Amino acid sequence: MAELPIPDLPPAHCSGRFTISTLLPPLPCMEEGDRGPYAPTEGSGCDSAQPTHLSSSTLCTRTFGYNTVDVVPAYEHYANSKGVGDLRKGRPSLADLHSILKPDPGRFRTPVSDLQQSNGLPEAGPEAGLEEAEGEPGRASMPEPVRFGWVKGVMIRCMLNIWGVILYLRLPWITAQAGIALTWLIILMSVTVTTITGLSISAISTNGKVKSGGTYFLISRSLGPELGGSIGLIFAFANAVAVAMHTVGFAETVRDLLQEHNSLIVDPTNDIRIIGVITVTVLLGISLAGMEWEAKAQILFFLVILVSFINYLVGTVIPATTEKQAKGFFSYRADIFAQNFVPNWRGPEGSFFGLFSIFFPSATGILAGANISGDLKDPAVAIPKGTLMAIFWTTVSYLVLSATIGACVVRDASGSLNDSVAVGSPGCEGLACSFGWNFTSCAQQQSCRYGLSNYYQSMSMVSGFGPLITAGIFGATLSSALACLVSAPKVFQCLCKDQLYPLIGFFGKGYGRNSEPIRGYMLTYIIAIGFILIAELNAIAPIISNFFLCSYALINFSCFHASITNSPGWRPSFRYYSKWAALFGATVSVVIMFLLTWWAALIAFGIVIFLLGYVLYKKPDVNWGSSMQASSYNMALNYSVGLSEVDEHIKNYRPQCLVLTGPPNFRPALVDFVGTFTKNLSLMLCGNVLIGPRKQKMPESRLMADGHTKWLMKRKIKAFYTDVVAEDLRSGVQMLIQAAGLGKMRPNILVLGYKRNWRTASPQSLEDYVGILHDAFDFKYGVCLMRMKEGLNVSQVLQAHVNPTFEAAEHPKNGTGSRAAPGTVDPTTLASEQQASTIFQSEQGKKTIDIYWLFDDGGLTLLIPYLLGRKKRWGKCKIRVFVGGQINRMDEERKAIVSLLSKFRLGFHEVHILPDINQKPRPEHIKRFDELIAPFRLNDGFKDEATVNEMRQGCPWKISDEEVDKNRAKSLRQVRLNEILLDYSRDAALIAITPPIGRKGRCPSSLYMAWLETLSQDLRPPVILTRGNQENVLTFYCQ
């Protein structure tokens, strides 16, 4: 077979942060017809069959020296990976590599241009920049979306959102109250929380590719849809209301300027509304113009704030004029710094935590960059770098401002030029006296209008040019409003696309090259207008701060939780974080929520819990690989290992059931029965034996297992599903009995349906069925057989909806297994099929559960009906216990059983003694039993034992005359018991009875089945034939 010629490949296009260099030169091309030392021979069925259909065969020939189905690592093989085992473009499946390769012209065919991407570099889509897409032939050119770097996209945006009116109007006042030292402590405490949160954001955002959705995306993909969805919704709403808050802050400043010049439009309140509506409309227009225009507006605001800050710093070094001195400004003075270094609490808010609650909102806003993660060139680099740099520079600005203004301005000043006095004048008290000003009178009467403690506009007074501070206030408020106006729709759009909540999908549609959420913008605009019209946001402001703090707490908890679960998928490239610091940040964020406003914190938690409960109830079909999934695995693993170290005790016995359901949807009654008494109590494992060649059945096993599990979940059955491939039913069940379970969570009861067709089934299937019961006893299992008058298997009803591979249990060669057939149904169809209703799903009313505890099997016959009676649907049923006894000792035996049952604390008070259990049954019933076993008799007469053994060699299920005679009494006992059951329990809801055990090697399978048939025939209620393994499952001791 000729090897592929190697065409000249264009040089690989390298982009991104990695450079790949070739260490070895390419191998020389082999001429057509030549054979290398490992070249396969024709017809060998090796990898090189049909090599021209493999997209990377040429490259692999050059790399490895021979043709192979294997491909080199490439970006597209891992992009958008969701679940373990997902097959990606270009990568062959395990079957392609491991099994005989069958030619398939279309299987691996990919465009020629893909060869250029086989160097492992990404062929990026729109979200990654579209760099590679530009040069591809035949692809329609799309306008490149606007992407931002870490400075323009994150740092400037976060700094603008962090800076606000508190910087200008409240920080000088806080410095006067708390002193420079404690103000720095307040600033550093606030920044500690935001820095820890910034480190957590950096870790989460570098643990994989970040898409649009910002805070919601980070939390939901880390903690799952439950917490992520609730935080996403309230965070988007909080941003929308924050637009109104910042806009009203701007409108109030403009209104105050108008009042100073007596130029009000209508009145103070309506002026706020008018200015606010006009302002937010202009901001909406900037946002709708595109992210590029919005970014330019943010840069303009940033420059305005920087100019105002520089203007303030310049003003501090300019010598104070007389007017400024009258207002308390004296330039830098060491004694002013010393006096303002210590606190001077005043008023109702004069406490450390009171001032902390006022300042902390000015440290928030660090999520502004992360919220537009979809518009960043490289979010994994931009979010950590930009967020942390923004925190650093804003912290420096806060510290510098508090220190400089605290060193320049005294706490109290009158503002009156008449208060100037000569230095050292008698009767003058206070620091200003040494500068020639007497503010003693207003300070003692607490009527001073100026000074750090009284005048909010101290920065404007200190600055070189006052109007620039006003411009800075405008820039801070408008930039924050614009950042929130952009953040809210971006976060909400991602939430809408995930469809966690109803009726919001309409707002998820994107427009233009940046997929702008125009509908989301309009919704945010409407919400903002609504709150602007209120014009009084003092009540809602604490709730918004609490919503942001709630987000901080969950981001930190996400980082901690992802770290503590030790998931191999947690591999952030940002290493400078600590899981314990993240936990501390989450705890402190919650504490601060209650310090700010306790009632607002309770409202925030209430909303989060309500939304969390909704998502938990709806169970959206999403799988994001969250840390909650990793935590569930960790907990299950740790508890399972820990359980292995615990010694078993009878008090902790639980019926752990291996249920031979075959496909569970074929025997819903059997599934419902076991699921009823094991739910939230013990292990239930649905076992299925796929009968046939392993090679043929394995694909079916992999395909259908997920569908059966989903079917159980839809039916609300808490059970596992497992299957095995075997040559026959009995060997498959033996595998399940030995291998099912994990550690101490292993089945101890085998539950299966009664074989109704045993008389017409093949003799080997009959032998296998009884052999399964013997195998269960050999492995110390209890056995539970279930018989219903209408049968258990509903596969004929489901034939149009289910996998035709599965056949009924009554198949001549099949008990509970499945045989080969040509087709399969996908798991989604299987899980969505109509659910069959059974008696175990309905209310039983005031019927009876009758227990025939004929043999002491350890108490399992009593335990299962007791557990069933604890469930709501069976709770009204009265439980009756029947035991055998002698007619002359009925009272004594009844008292003994009642005493025993009372010690077991089962609550069974109605006990019946059956004295006539050993009476001879009616002749017609005896005759019916004889007719039942007649087809299975050897009719060997008086032949010797050797002759009988020779006759039975090919048919071990046959019954010899000697065996009929030896077991005559036991057979008649089953006939009589059936008569008693018909007399006493014809109208019961359920009958539980202890069946006889056929001795292995001495009781033919047909005779044993005849006993079970006779015992349970003609009964309307479901019959549960339960036999324990002769070990106690009940105890009346407390230790």
Short mmCIF file of all heavy atoms in Angstrom, two decimals, residues 209-263:
data_model
loop_
_atom_site.label_atom_id
_atom_site.label_comp_id
_atom_site.label_asym_id
_atom_site.label_seq_id
_atom_site.Cartn_x
_atom_site.Cartn_y
_atom_site.Cartn_z
N LYS A 209 -11.38 29.50 30.09
CA LYS A 209 -11.77 30.62 29.23
C LYS A 209 -13.01 31.30 29.78
O LYS A 209 -14.03 30.66 30.03
CB LYS A 209 -12.02 30.11 27.82
CG LYS A 209 -12.27 31.21 26.80
CD LYS A 209 -12.43 30.62 25.41
CE LYS A 209 -12.67 31.71 24.38
NZ LYS A 209 -12.83 31.16 23.03
N VAL A 210 -12.94 32.62 29.96
CA VAL A 210 -14.05 33.39 30.50
C VAL A 210 -14.82 34.01 29.35
O VAL A 210 -14.24 34.63 28.46
CB VAL A 210 -13.55 34.49 31.46
CG1 VAL A 210 -14.71 35.32 31.96
CG2 VAL A 210 -12.81 33.86 32.62
N LYS A 211 -16.13 33.86 29.36
CA LYS A 211 -16.99 34.44 28.33
C LYS A 211 -17.74 35.63 28.92
O LYS A 211 -17.46 36.09 30.02
CB LYS A 211 -17.95 33.39 27.78
CG LYS A 211 -17.24 32.22 27.11
CD LYS A 211 -18.23 31.24 26.53
CE LYS A 211 -17.53 30.06 25.86
NZ LYS A 211 -18.48 29.08 25.31
N SER A 212 -18.72 36.13 28.19
CA SER A 212 -19.49 37.27 28.67
C SER A 212 -20.36 36.84 29.85
O SER A 212 -20.69 35.68 30.01
CB SER A 212 -20.37 37.82 27.55
OG SER A 212 -21.27 36.83 27.10
N GLY A 213 -20.73 37.81 30.67
CA GLY A 213 -21.57 37.51 31.82
C GLY A 213 -20.97 37.96 33.12
O GLY A 213 -21.65 38.01 34.14
N GLY A 214 -19.68 38.27 33.12
CA GLY A 214 -19.05 38.87 34.27
C GLY A 214 -19.22 38.10 35.56
O GLY A 214 -18.94 36.90 35.65
N THR A 215 -19.68 38.82 36.58
CA THR A 215 -19.81 38.23 37.92
C THR A 215 -20.72 37.02 37.90
O THR A 215 -20.43 36.00 38.54
CB THR A 215 -20.37 39.29 38.89
OG1 THR A 215 -19.54 40.45 38.82
CG2 THR A 215 -20.40 38.76 40.30
N TYR A 216 -21.83 37.12 37.19
CA TYR A 216 -22.74 35.97 37.11
C TYR A 216 -22.04 34.77 36.49
O TYR A 216 -22.16 33.64 36.98
CB TYR A 216 -23.97 36.34 36.29
CG TYR A 216 -24.72 35.14 35.78
CD1 TYR A 216 -25.41 34.31 36.64
CD2 TYR A 216 -24.68 34.80 34.42
CE1 TYR A 216 -26.07 33.19 36.19
CE2 TYR A 216 -25.34 33.68 33.96
CZ TYR A 216 -26.03 32.88 34.84
OH TYR A 216 -26.68 31.75 34.38
N PHE A 217 -21.30 34.99 35.42
CA PHE A 217 -20.61 33.89 34.75
C PHE A 217 -19.61 33.23 35.69
O PHE A 217 -19.53 32.01 35.79
CB PHE A 217 -19.91 34.40 33.49
CG PHE A 217 -19.23 33.33 32.69
CD1 PHE A 217 -19.93 32.64 31.71
CD2 PHE A 217 -17.91 32.99 32.90
CE1 PHE A 217 -19.33 31.65 30.96
CE2 PHE A 217 -17.29 32.00 32.17
CZ PHE A 217 -18.01 31.33 31.19
N LEU A 218 -18.83 34.05 36.41
CA LEU A 218 -17.80 33.50 37.30
C LEU A 218 -18.42 32.68 38.43
O LEU A 218 -17.97 31.58 38.73
CB LEU A 218 -16.96 34.65 37.88
CG LEU A 218 -16.13 35.46 36.88
CD1 LEU A 218 -15.42 36.59 37.60
CD2 LEU A 218 -15.13 34.58 36.16
N ILE A 219 -19.48 33.22 39.06
CA ILE A 219 -20.08 32.51 40.20
C ILE A 219 -20.84 31.28 39.73
O ILE A 219 -20.73 30.20 40.33
CB ILE A 219 -21.01 33.46 40.99
CG1 ILE A 219 -20.19 34.60 41.61
CG2 ILE A 219 -21.75 32.71 42.08
CD1 ILE A 219 -21.01 35.62 42.36
N SER A 220 -21.63 31.41 38.66
CA SER A 220 -22.45 30.29 38.23
C SER A 220 -21.59 29.13 37.74
O SER A 220 -21.91 27.96 37.98
CB SER A 220 -23.42 30.73 37.13
OG SER A 220 -22.71 31.19 35.99
N ARG A 221 -20.48 29.44 37.04
CA ARG A 221 -19.63 28.36 36.54
C ARG A 221 -18.77 27.77 37.63
O ARG A 221 -18.19 26.68 37.45
CB ARG A 221 -18.75 28.86 35.40
CG ARG A 221 -19.37 28.71 34.01
CD ARG A 221 -20.74 29.34 33.90
NE ARG A 221 -21.29 29.27 32.57
CZ ARG A 221 -22.47 29.78 32.23
NH1 ARG A 221 -23.21 30.38 33.14
NH2 ARG A 221 -22.92 29.67 31.00
N SER A 222 -18.66 28.46 38.76
CA SER A 222 -17.88 27.93 39.87
C SER A 222 -18.76 27.18 40.87
O SER A 222 -18.46 26.05 41.25
CB SER A 222 -17.14 29.06 40.60
OG SER A 222 -16.19 29.67 39.75
N LEU A 223 -19.86 27.82 41.30
CA LEU A 223 -20.72 27.21 42.32
C LEU A 223 -21.96 26.53 41.75
O LEU A 223 -22.68 25.87 42.50
CB LEU A 223 -21.17 28.29 43.32
CG LEU A 223 -20.09 28.80 44.28
CD1 LEU A 223 -20.67 29.87 45.19
CD2 LEU A 223 -19.51 27.68 45.11
N GLY A 224 -22.21 26.68 40.45
CA GLY A 224 -23.36 26.03 39.86
C GLY A 224 -24.51 27.00 39.63
O GLY A 224 -24.47 28.16 40.07
N PRO A 225 -25.56 26.56 38.94
CA PRO A 225 -26.65 27.46 38.57
C PRO A 225 -27.49 27.94 39.74
O PRO A 225 -28.14 28.97 39.64
CB PRO A 225 -27.49 26.61 37.60
CG PRO A 225 -27.20 25.20 37.99
CD PRO A 225 -25.76 25.19 38.45
N GLU A 226 -27.51 27.19 40.84
CA GLU A 226 -28.39 27.55 41.95
C GLU A 226 -28.00 28.89 42.55
O GLU A 226 -28.79 29.85 42.56
CB GLU A 226 -28.38 26.46 43.03
CG GLU A 226 -28.90 25.12 42.57
CD GLU A 226 -27.85 24.28 41.85
OE1 GLU A 226 -26.68 24.71 41.84
OE2 GLU A 226 -28.19 23.22 41.31
N LEU A 227 -26.77 28.99 43.05
CA LEU A 227 -26.30 30.25 43.62
C LEU A 227 -25.97 31.26 42.52
O LEU A 227 -26.22 32.46 42.68
CB LEU A 227 -25.07 30.01 44.49
CG LEU A 227 -25.34 29.42 45.88
CD1 LEU A 227 -24.04 29.03 46.56
CD2 LEU A 227 -26.11 30.41 46.74
N GLY A 228 -25.41 30.79 41.41
CA GLY A 228 -25.05 31.69 40.33
C GLY A 228 -26.25 32.40 39.75
O GLY A 228 -26.22 33.60 39.47
N GLY A 229 -27.34 31.67 39.56
CA GLY A 229 -28.55 32.27 38.99
C GLY A 229 -29.15 33.32 39.90
O GLY A 229 -29.56 34.41 39.45
N SER A 230 -29.24 33.04 41.20
CA SER A 230 -29.83 33.99 42.13
C SER A 230 -28.98 35.25 42.23
O SER A 230 -29.51 36.37 42.21
CB SER A 230 -30.00 33.34 43.52
OG SER A 230 -28.76 32.86 44.00
N ILE A 231 -27.66 35.08 42.31
CA ILE A 231 -26.80 36.26 42.39
C ILE A 231 -26.82 37.03 41.07
O ILE A 231 -26.83 38.26 41.06
CB ILE A 231 -25.35 35.83 42.73
CG1 ILE A 231 -25.28 35.51 44.22
CG2 ILE A 231 -24.36 36.92 42.40
CD1 ILE A 231 -25.59 36.67 45.12
N GLY A 232 -26.86 36.32 39.94
CA GLY A 232 -26.90 36.99 38.65
C GLY A 232 -28.12 37.90 38.51
O GLY A 232 -28.01 39.04 38.02
N LEU A 233 -29.27 37.42 38.96
CA LEU A 233 -30.49 38.20 38.82
C LEU A 233 -30.46 39.44 39.71
O LEU A 233 -30.74 40.56 39.26
CB LEU A 233 -31.70 37.33 39.15
CG LEU A 233 -33.06 37.85 38.70
CD1 LEU A 233 -33.10 38.04 37.20
CD2 LEU A 233 -34.16 36.87 39.13
N ILE A 234 -30.10 39.27 40.99
CA ILE A 234 -30.12 40.42 41.89
C ILE A 234 -28.95 41.36 41.60
O ILE A 234 -29.06 42.57 41.81
CB ILE A 234 -30.11 39.99 43.36
CG1 ILE A 234 -28.81 39.29 43.73
CG2 ILE A 234 -31.30 39.12 43.68
CD1 ILE A 234 -28.69 38.98 45.21
N PHE A 235 -27.83 40.81 41.09
CA PHE A 235 -26.71 41.68 40.76
C PHE A 235 -27.05 42.56 39.56
O PHE A 235 -26.71 43.75 39.53
CB PHE A 235 -25.47 40.83 40.47
CG PHE A 235 -24.21 41.62 40.29
CD1 PHE A 235 -23.57 42.17 41.38
CD2 PHE A 235 -23.66 41.82 39.04
CE1 PHE A 235 -22.41 42.90 41.23
CE2 PHE A 235 -22.50 42.54 38.87
CZ PHE A 235 -21.87 43.09 39.99
N ALA A 236 -27.71 41.98 38.56
CA ALA A 236 -28.13 42.79 37.41
C ALA A 236 -29.14 43.85 37.84
O ALA A 236 -29.07 45.01 37.42
CB ALA A 236 -28.74 41.87 36.34
N PHE A 237 -30.08 43.48 38.72
CA PHE A 237 -31.07 44.45 39.21
C PHE A 237 -30.39 45.54 40.03
O PHE A 237 -30.72 46.73 39.91
CB PHE A 237 -32.13 43.73 40.04
CG PHE A 237 -33.16 44.65 40.64
CD1 PHE A 237 -34.16 45.20 39.85
CD2 PHE A 237 -33.12 44.98 41.99
CE1 PHE A 237 -35.10 46.05 40.40
CE2 PHE A 237 -34.06 45.83 42.54
CZ PHE A 237 -35.05 46.37 41.74
N ALA A 238 -29.43 45.14 40.89
CA ALA A 238 -28.73 46.13 41.71
C ALA A 238 -27.96 47.11 40.84
O ALA A 238 -27.92 48.31 41.13
CB ALA A 238 -27.77 45.42 42.67
N ASN A 239 -27.36 46.64 39.76
CA ASN A 239 -26.66 47.54 38.85
C ASN A 239 -27.64 48.49 38.17
O ASN A 239 -27.32 49.67 37.95
CB ASN A 239 -25.89 46.74 37.80
CG ASN A 239 -24.49 46.38 38.24
OD1 ASN A 239 -23.60 47.22 38.24
ND2 ASN A 239 -24.30 45.14 38.64
N ALA A 240 -28.82 47.99 37.83
CA ALA A 240 -29.81 48.85 37.19
C ALA A 240 -30.27 49.95 38.15
O ALA A 240 -30.41 51.12 37.75
CB ALA A 240 -31.01 48.02 36.73
N VAL A 241 -30.49 49.59 39.42
CA VAL A 241 -30.89 50.60 40.40
C VAL A 241 -29.72 51.54 40.71
O VAL A 241 -29.91 52.73 40.98
CB VAL A 241 -31.42 49.92 41.68
CG1 VAL A 241 -31.82 50.96 42.72
CG2 VAL A 241 -32.61 49.04 41.35
N ALA A 242 -28.49 50.99 40.68
CA ALA A 242 -27.31 51.83 40.93
C ALA A 242 -27.18 52.92 39.87
O ALA A 242 -26.65 54.00 40.14
CB ALA A 242 -26.06 50.97 40.97
N VAL A 243 -27.64 52.62 38.64
CA VAL A 243 -27.66 53.67 37.60
C VAL A 243 -28.49 54.85 38.10
O VAL A 243 -28.08 56.02 38.00
CB VAL A 243 -28.25 53.11 36.28
CG1 VAL A 243 -28.39 54.24 35.26
CG2 VAL A 243 -27.38 52.01 35.73
N ALA A 244 -29.65 54.55 38.67
CA ALA A 244 -30.51 55.62 39.19
C ALA A 244 -29.85 56.34 40.35
O ALA A 244 -29.91 57.58 40.46
CB ALA A 244 -31.85 55.03 39.63
N MET A 245 -29.18 55.60 41.23
CA MET A 245 -28.54 56.23 42.39
C MET A 245 -27.47 57.23 41.97
O MET A 245 -27.45 58.38 42.42
CB MET A 245 -27.90 55.15 43.28
CG MET A 245 -28.88 54.34 44.09
SD MET A 245 -28.02 53.21 45.18
CE MET A 245 -27.01 54.35 46.11
N HIS A 246 -26.57 56.79 41.09
CA HIS A 246 -25.50 57.69 40.66
C HIS A 246 -26.06 58.87 39.85
O HIS A 246 -25.54 59.99 39.95
CB HIS A 246 -24.48 56.92 39.84
CG HIS A 246 -23.74 55.87 40.62
ND1 HIS A 246 -22.98 56.16 41.72
CD2 HIS A 246 -23.66 54.51 40.46
CE1 HIS A 246 -22.45 55.04 42.21
NE2 HIS A 246 -22.86 54.03 41.47
N THR A 247 -27.09 58.61 39.07
CA THR A 247 -27.68 59.69 38.29
C THR A 247 -28.34 60.71 39.21
O THR A 247 -28.23 61.93 38.99
CB THR A 247 -28.71 59.13 37.29
OG1 THR A 247 -28.08 58.12 36.48
CG2 THR A 247 -29.26 60.21 36.40
N VAL A 248 -29.03 60.23 40.24
CA VAL A 248 -29.65 61.16 41.20
C VAL A 248 -28.57 61.94 41.95
O VAL A 248 -28.73 63.13 42.25
CB VAL A 248 -30.56 60.38 42.17
CG1 VAL A 248 -30.97 61.25 43.34
CG2 VAL A 248 -31.80 59.89 41.44
N GLY A 249 -27.43 61.27 42.26
CA GLY A 249 -26.32 62.00 42.89
C GLY A 249 -25.83 63.15 42.01
O GLY A 249 -25.56 64.25 42.49
N PHE A 250 -25.73 62.89 40.71
CA PHE A 250 -25.35 63.95 39.77
C PHE A 250 -26.43 65.03 39.72
O PHE A 250 -26.13 66.24 39.75
CB PHE A 250 -25.14 63.34 38.39
CG PHE A 250 -25.03 64.35 37.28
CD1 PHE A 250 -23.85 65.05 37.08
CD2 PHE A 250 -26.10 64.61 36.43
CE1 PHE A 250 -23.74 65.98 36.07
CE2 PHE A 250 -26.00 65.54 35.42
CZ PHE A 250 -24.80 66.22 35.24
N ALA A 251 -27.70 64.60 39.66
CA ALA A 251 -28.80 65.56 39.54
C ALA A 251 -28.90 66.43 40.79
O ALA A 251 -29.20 67.64 40.69
CB ALA A 251 -30.12 64.82 39.32
N GLU A 252 -28.62 65.89 41.97
CA GLU A 252 -28.67 66.69 43.19
C GLU A 252 -27.58 67.75 43.18
O GLU A 252 -27.80 68.89 43.62
CB GLU A 252 -28.51 65.78 44.41
CG GLU A 252 -29.75 64.96 44.72
CD GLU A 252 -29.56 64.09 45.94
OE1 GLU A 252 -28.41 63.98 46.43
OE2 GLU A 252 -30.55 63.52 46.42
N THR A 253 -26.39 67.40 42.69
CA THR A 253 -25.31 68.38 42.61
C THR A 253 -25.67 69.52 41.66
O THR A 253 -25.45 70.70 41.97
CB THR A 253 -24.01 67.69 42.14
OG1 THR A 253 -23.74 66.57 42.96
CG2 THR A 253 -22.84 68.65 42.22
N VAL A 254 -26.23 69.17 40.51
CA VAL A 254 -26.66 70.20 39.56
C VAL A 254 -27.77 71.04 40.17
O VAL A 254 -27.79 72.29 40.04
CB VAL A 254 -27.12 69.56 38.24
CG1 VAL A 254 -27.67 70.62 37.29
CG2 VAL A 254 -25.97 68.81 37.59
N ARG A 255 -28.70 70.41 40.87
CA ARG A 255 -29.80 71.15 41.50
C ARG A 255 -29.26 72.14 42.54
O ARG A 255 -29.74 73.27 42.64
CB ARG A 255 -30.74 70.12 42.16
CG ARG A 255 -32.07 70.67 42.72
CD ARG A 255 -32.01 71.11 44.16
NE ARG A 255 -31.28 70.21 45.02
CZ ARG A 255 -31.86 69.23 45.72
NH1 ARG A 255 -33.15 69.03 45.63
NH2 ARG A 255 -31.10 68.49 46.52
N ASP A 256 -28.24 71.70 43.31
CA ASP A 256 -27.66 72.61 44.31
C ASP A 256 -27.00 73.83 43.65
O ASP A 256 -27.09 74.95 44.16
CB ASP A 256 -26.63 71.85 45.16
CG ASP A 256 -27.27 70.79 46.04
OD1 ASP A 256 -28.50 70.89 46.25
OD2 ASP A 256 -26.55 69.88 46.49
N LEU A 257 -26.35 73.59 42.51
CA LEU A 257 -25.75 74.72 41.78
C LEU A 257 -26.83 75.67 41.29
O LEU A 257 -26.68 76.91 41.34
CB LEU A 257 -24.92 74.21 40.60
CG LEU A 257 -23.62 73.49 40.94
CD1 LEU A 257 -22.97 72.93 39.68
CD2 LEU A 257 -22.65 74.46 41.62
N LEU A 258 -27.93 75.12 40.82
CA LEU A 258 -29.03 75.97 40.36
C LEU A 258 -29.63 76.76 41.52
O LEU A 258 -30.01 77.93 41.37
CB LEU A 258 -30.12 75.12 39.69
CG LEU A 258 -29.74 74.44 38.37
CD1 LEU A 258 -30.87 73.54 37.88
CD2 LEU A 258 -29.41 75.49 37.30
N GLN A 259 -29.70 76.11 42.70
CA GLN A 259 -30.25 76.82 43.86
C GLN A 259 -29.36 77.99 44.27
O GLN A 259 -29.85 79.05 44.67
CB GLN A 259 -30.41 75.84 45.04
CG GLN A 259 -31.72 75.07 45.03
CD GLN A 259 -31.89 74.23 46.28
OE1 GLN A 259 -30.92 73.70 46.81
NE2 GLN A 259 -33.13 74.10 46.74
N GLU A 260 -28.05 77.78 44.18
CA GLU A 260 -27.13 78.85 44.55
C GLU A 260 -27.32 80.08 43.67
O GLU A 260 -27.12 81.21 44.12
CB GLU A 260 -25.68 78.36 44.46
CG GLU A 260 -25.28 77.38 45.54
CD GLU A 260 -23.83 76.96 45.42
OE1 GLU A 260 -23.09 77.61 44.63
OE2 GLU A 260 -23.44 75.98 46.08
N HIS A 261 -27.71 79.83 42.44
CA HIS A 261 -27.90 80.95 41.51
C HIS A 261 -29.39 81.28 41.31
O HIS A 261 -29.74 82.00 40.37
CB HIS A 261 -27.25 80.64 40.16
CG HIS A 261 -25.77 80.47 40.22
ND1 HIS A 261 -25.18 79.26 40.56
CD2 HIS A 261 -24.75 81.36 40.02
CE1 HIS A 261 -23.86 79.40 40.55
NE2 HIS A 261 -23.56 80.69 40.22
N ASN A 262 -30.24 80.73 42.19
CA ASN A 262 -31.69 80.98 42.12
C ASN A 262 -32.26 80.71 40.73
O ASN A 262 -33.00 81.52 40.16
CB ASN A 262 -32.00 82.44 42.52
CG ASN A 262 -31.62 82.70 43.97
OD1 ASN A 262 -31.85 81.85 44.83
ND2 ASN A 262 -31.03 83.86 44.23
N SER A 263 -31.86 79.55 40.18
CA SER A 263 -32.28 79.25 38.81
C SER A 263 -32.98 77.88 38.74
O SER A 263 -32.78 77.11 37.80
CB SER A 263 -31.07 79.25 37.87
OG SER A 263 -30.43 80.50 37.89
#
